[in-house]
Amino acid sequence: MIKPSIYGLTLDQMGAWLEEKGHKKSRATHVWEWLYRRRVTEFEQMEEVNKDCLQLLSEHFSIQTLTEHTRQESIDGTIKFLFRLSDGNLIETVLMRHKFGLSVCVTTQVGCNIGCSFCASGLLKKSRDLSSGEIVEQIMKVQLHLDSMGTGERVSHIVVMGIGEPFDNYKNMSDFIRVVKDHKGLAIGGRHITVSTSGLAGKIKEFADSDLNVNLAVSLHAPNNDLRTRIMKINKAIPIEKLMDALEYYWDKTNRRITVEYILLKDVNDQPEHALELAELLKHRRSLAIVNLIPYNPVDEHSQYQRSEKDSITSFYDTLKKQNISVSVRLEHGTDIDAACGQLRSKQIKKDVDGSREKVLS
């Protein structure tokens, strides 16, 4: 039997669980300290915590459910981790270095069903959601790597933009955020956490009504329904009008800025007329939206798409600027390794499958 990750419990949930099992609720705070501040990897390392309590926890939970399978390190300091889950599935987690700190991009699902035609993450369909503990443990594994370097560095920012659609795993994603934000644990501030969605309108409204208070990014990638449906099949179910209605609800409810993600695909969505359409779409909320232009990382399986030329990126940027739209171009990380999200995972799975075939044939 595979035991769930103890990282999946919020502090309140752990306290309630211990109390239900006949232990003092306050013992959860002691365990929390050892998990997130002292970052132990075995229950036996938790000194001064009630032994019966530790025994009970160890019988029901595991501290380590992820193992490092592969690690790729870029010359710019980006590190891509390929982790193997306890059921054998593989996921990716990425550490990125910025001037403002260290950011980790986490995965929320094994595979993805959104079906964006340019994306490596969707090459393998979703087989299951990650538990909240498996999402938290990605942060812990990266932090433990930093601890081993002895430099005193810590994870300061989180982006929930890895493999999968976070809002399709809403409950576990929400518990993950509550764990990493808790001031008695990792204490990563809400302003330093961004959740990205492909546009699940109902969940955007639920997110607006929640107490999570973290940033929202929306993967738009096209300014009209015809083009967006061509490259993102989710637009068939949730067209731009429905998505914009949900964003209006979010803006009215929170008055928080949204990042609009826009991958630039050569001769597909990167023309000046596309930029003007995008500006028109956002003009009434320009003070609460910032467009993040993303140079495309080519994927072998999606050879129909190429990266936009530098002149096209500059022209798109300038067109938005002239329309008074806040816009930035994403700094690239890990271009000398498997930069596209999901690329390392899909390559490793293909390698494993090919290796198995060779064994059978031999």
Side-chain angles (χ1 to χ4, degrees), residues 77-79 81 93-97 102-104 142 145-146:
T78 300
I79 303 177
F81 298 88
T93 307
V94 184
L95 170 67
M96 295 166 286
R97 293 183 175 274
L102 299 182
S103 174
V104 174
V142 175
H145 168 75
L146 294 172

Side-chain angles (χ1 to χ4, degrees), residues 159-161 164-167 194-198 215-219 261:
V159 287
V160 189
M161 296 182 183
E165 164 56 63
F167 281 0
T194 300
V195 179
S196 177
T197 178
S198 58
N215 303 315
L216 177 65
V218 176
S219 296
E261 306 281 0

Side-chain angles (χ1 to χ4, degrees), residues 77-97:
T78 300
I79 303 177
K80 177 170 275 196
F81 298 88
L82 188 67
F83 292 122
R84 189 174 293 281
L85 304 173
S86 55
D87 63 1
N89 279 301
L90 296 171
I91 60 168
E92 289 180 9
T93 307
V94 184
L95 170 67
M96 295 166 286
R97 293 183 175 274

Side-chain angles (χ1 to χ4, degrees), residues 22-50:
H23 286 267
K24 295 178 181 178
K25 190 176 182 178
S26 60
R27 284 177 180 157
T29 302
H30 301 149
V31 174
W32 202 261
E33 166 79 16
W34 283 97
L35 285 174
Y36 296 105
R37 296 295 175 88
R38 307 196 192 191
R39 294 191 279 278
V40 298
T41 57
E42 302 291 340
F43 286 106
E44 293 77 11
Q45 296 171 316
M46 296 184 184
E47 301 172 7
E48 300 174 1
V49 177
N50 179 272

